Amino acid sequence: MYRLVITEKEKDLIFFNKEQSHYLKRVLRLKKGDRFIAMDGLGKSWLAEIITEREGKIVESLLISTELPIKITLIVALPKGNGFDEIVRSCTELGVTTFIPAIADRTIIKPSPQKLLRWQKIATEAAEQSERQIVPQITNPDKFTTVLEKLGDRETDCYICVARSDTNSLLECLENNKSQHLIVATGPEGGFTAKEVENAIAAGFEPVSLGNRILRAITAPIAVTSLIAAVAEKNITTLDR
Ligand code: SAM
């Protein structure tokens, strides 16, 4: 059944924006009385029905549980070109909760203000497609040092991925993890500078390896998220869901 993240809802009524209305009518060819799943992107889902081109109504609440049992915040040094689009799409499918795009010392691009809207749209579509209950949050891009400062004091376990380093692997760290929220930073094409790694360690981050191969700046966050999701879901049986 088609899933739609709704932005306007009043009691049992749902209001479609122009783009959603066009998609439901012209692309999916849904008509009055057809049903779909409406999500608020924050964790609630409903079975809903089309009333008119611009309105739907809620039929009943749905209890769906497809979210990971752990929150993942990715701090991603922006890769060149549109590389972050692919990271947002794939990591949303895999279960990321929050993306913090960062400008590291070796980041090449200067993201335009419109990029955030584009990334949010990609995250919304990926959440609908992968049947998630939440749409990940994406913050405005910030300098990597500012991101570290803004995190402040926290209980969360934090890791920074450093290629060619003689550190623990992320997998080893995850196997001993008890935290319900993890923060992981990945670098740009040229990697983090030694100073950035030093600052991150001073801010409470543990350097970790993702193996002996050097992953692209786009592949590293996807590998991180897959690993966390696999470990987090390892002990959950279908009966627990
Ligand atoms: N030019 C860097 C070098 O030669 O060390 C490699 C940068 S890599 C293309 C981009 C980012 O992905 C790195 O900053 C790191 O965060 C992450 N990464 C890639 N491979 C990794 C690995 N094997 N272990 C840990 N992090 C890795």
Side-chain angles (χ1 to χ4, degrees):
M1 198 174 291
Y2 183 69
R3 281 160 200 268
L4 188 70
V5 175
I6 53 167
T7 46
E8 265 194 82
K9 174 179 167 294
E10 228 180 86
K11 294 192 176 153
D12 280 354
L13 275 187
I14 292 167
F15 303 97
F16 309 128
N17 62 33
K18 243 178 152 180
E19 204 181 320
Q20 290 174 328
S21 166
H22 172 85
Y23 196 75
L24 291 170
K25 188 170 179 207
R26 306 271 170 223
V27 183
L28 297 178
R29 305 209 169 267
L30 294 189
K31 48 193 185 319
K32 189 173 186 286
D34 283 346
R35 293 188 165 186
F36 63 99
I37 293 176
M39 309 147 57
D40 67 356
L42 301 168
K44 289 192 185 140
S45 306
W46 303 271
L47 179 65
E49 200 171 280
I50 308 273
I51 308 179
T52 67
E53 258 177 56
R54 299 306 290 261
E55 285 175 359
K57 77 166 185 215
I58 285 172
V59 177
E60 62 184 29
S61 285
L62 295 176
L63 272 181
I64 308 174
S65 165
T66 55
E67 288 301 315
L68 287 177
I70 190 167
K71 286 188 177 162
I72 308 173
T73 295
L74 286 186
I75 301 172
V76 181
L78 287 168
K80 61 185 180 202
N82 286 332
F84 193 59
D85 292 8
E86 181 52 38
I87 295 173
V88 170
R89 190 174 296 111
S90 302
C91 294
T92 297
E93 288 172 33
L94 289 163
V96 162
T97 325
T98 306
F99 293 95
I100 306 183
I103 320 274
D105 288 346
R106 294 191 181 128
T107 298
I108 299 165
I109 64 156
K110 279 205 180 102
S112 64
Q114 299 91 292
K115 282 280 183 183
L116 184 60
L117 278 179
R118 177 183 163 83
W119 296 331
Q120 281 164 340
K121 188 165 182 280
I122 293 173
T124 301
E125 287 170 1
E128 288 169 348
Q129 181 274 319
S130 58
E131 306 194 357
R132 289 192 61 182
Q133 271 82 66
I134 68 144
V135 177
Q137 285 196 324
I138 309 178
T139 65
N140 261 312
D142 241 333
K143 281 190 155 186
F144 183 62
T145 43
T146 313
V147 171
L148 293 180
E149 282 162 20
K150 281 189 182 168
L151 288 176
D153 288 338
R154 73 211 94 87
E155 301 269 301
T156 328
D157 286 355
C158 301
Y159 302 103
I160 178 164
C161 297
V162 186
R164 302 175 209 281
S165 63
D166 184 18
T167 59
N168 284 334
S169 72
L170 178 61
L171 180 59
E172 283 168 301
C173 298
L174 295 177
E175 278 168 348
N176 300 318
N177 170 60
K178 301 267 178 296
S179 176
Q180 292 305 302
H181 180 192
L182 298 175
I183 301 180
V184 186
T186 60
E189 284 81 0
F192 286 118
T193 60
K195 184 78 192 145
E196 284 175 323
V197 176
E198 228 174 78
N199 287 343
I201 293 171
F205 282 61
E206 178 176 346
V208 287
S209 159
L210 298 173
N212 293 332
R213 290 145 307 279
I214 307 301
L215 309 180
R216 285 185 308 141
I218 295 173
T219 315
I222 300 174
V224 164
T225 315
S226 312
L227 206 55
I228 298 175
V231 173
E233 288 191 317
K234 193 170 69 173
N235 298 322
I236 299 183
T237 65
T238 39
L239 288 175
D240 294 326
R241 288 169 200 263

